[in-house]
Amino acid sequence: LRERGTIVEGTAGNTGIGLTLIANSKGYNTIIVMPETQTKEKIDLLRSIGADLRLVPAKPYKDPNNFVKYSGRLAEEISKKNNGNVLWANQFDNISNYLGHYHTTGQEIWAQTKGKIDAFICSSGTGGTIAGVGKLLKEKNQSIKIYLADPKGSALYNFIKFNELKSEGNSITEGIGSSRITSNFKEAPIDDAFSIEDVEALSIIYEL
């Protein structure tokens, strides 16, 4: 990106917040495309830190107006007008995502547990965390198990268990679960998966 460049991203909120804060410090603009179903707190925060927030109807990935596809088209349009000075972060299929976790998060977990770790369990949004951490830990010790915790309504549990992208039920969770295999999730060395009900997740969250 050159001076006054623009970062475009489709996000459930968290990545958009991080990108906007970084862009602010670097002098870039951010256009964040987010489903209108996300929490008011995330919407308010994005606007308060200066993101150009575009709320779109929540659509499945196969729909051309899904927030991720919409953000990609928007980046293309801006690129034509601005002679390229735009970055589509593309968190779901940009493998810099999982490589970041391979080089940092996974290393931190290995160091801070002093290698005394039997298993790592994680949900998946983009798939970057479970892929990057999973790969690093497996390289350190092949016997470490990597487990996916998947909310109802996501198809990833059935993909791991039965090699079928099939979703069942629904969930109030935001930004985790998926109906497709992203380029980051493809890299995850997952041994097994659990399907987690909201009631169980919420009770544990409140305990924590």
Side-chain angles (χ1 to χ4, degrees):
L1 283 174
R2 303 184 303 280
E3 190 177 355
R4 290 193 293 278
T6 300
I7 298 171
V8 179
E9 183 61 330
T11 173
N14 296 330
T15 300
I17 292 164
L19 286 172
T20 301
L21 292 171
I22 291 168
N24 288 349
S25 71
K26 296 283 189 182
Y28 303 138
N29 305 305
T30 47
I31 300 175
I32 302 300
V33 181
M34 192 165 80
E36 60 192 8
T37 51
Q38 303 307 292
T39 58
K40 185 177 184 297
E41 288 84 358
K42 284 192 282 194
I43 291 169
D44 290 347
L45 178 55
L46 278 161
R47 284 180 173 148
S48 74
I49 60 177
D52 178 351
L53 181 62
R54 313 282 179 92
L55 295 175
V56 297
K59 302 278 187 184
Y61 185 75
K62 61 187 177 186
D63 190 297
N65 290 315
N66 168 272
F67 71 102
V68 175
K69 291 180 177 176
Y70 183 100
S71 68
R73 285 200 307 275
L74 191 59
E76 276 182 35
E77 290 167 17
I78 295 167
S79 181
K80 287 171 188 169
K81 291 178 191 168
N82 291 8
N83 196 22
N85 197 18
V86 63
L87 170 72
W88 180 37
N90 190 19
Q91 60 176 312
F92 293 89
D93 294 302
N94 180 344
I95 61 168
S96 296
N97 178 339
Y98 100 78
L99 289 170
H101 290 287
Y102 174 86
H103 290 296
T104 60
T105 321
Q107 299 280 4
E108 289 170 11
I109 290 170
W110 179 255
Q112 292 177 22
T113 59
K114 298 182 172 56
K116 294 176 182 175
I117 177 169
D118 301 303
F120 176 73
I121 184 164
C122 184
S123 59
S124 174
T126 62
T129 306
I130 197 166
V133 173
K135 275 199 169 208
L136 186 282
L137 294 178
K138 287 280 192 185
E139 282 180 15
K140 295 290 189 182
N141 179 355
Q142 190 60 40
S143 68
I144 294 173
K145 300 295 182 187
I146 308 300
Y147 296 107
L148 171 72
D150 207 35
K152 295 293 182 182
S154 170
L156 299 180
Y157 169 78
N158 277 317
F159 179 77
I160 297 300
K161 298 293 276 188
F162 311 111
N163 202 30
E164 178 186 14
L165 276 171
K166 178 183 174 187
S167 62
E168 298 168 321
N170 53 55
S171 171
I172 63 168
T173 56
E174 291 186 356
I176 60 171
S178 183
S179 60
R180 70 183 180 102
I181 305 304
T182 66
S183 297
N184 286 290
F185 189 81
K186 260 183 209 166
E187 302 294 327
I190 297 170
D191 293 291
D192 206 349
F194 300 98
S195 180
I196 309 296
E197 300 270 3
D198 282 350
V199 170
E200 184 181 3
L202 285 166
S203 65
I204 291 171
I205 286 166
Y206 280 109
E207 279 182 36
L208 289 171

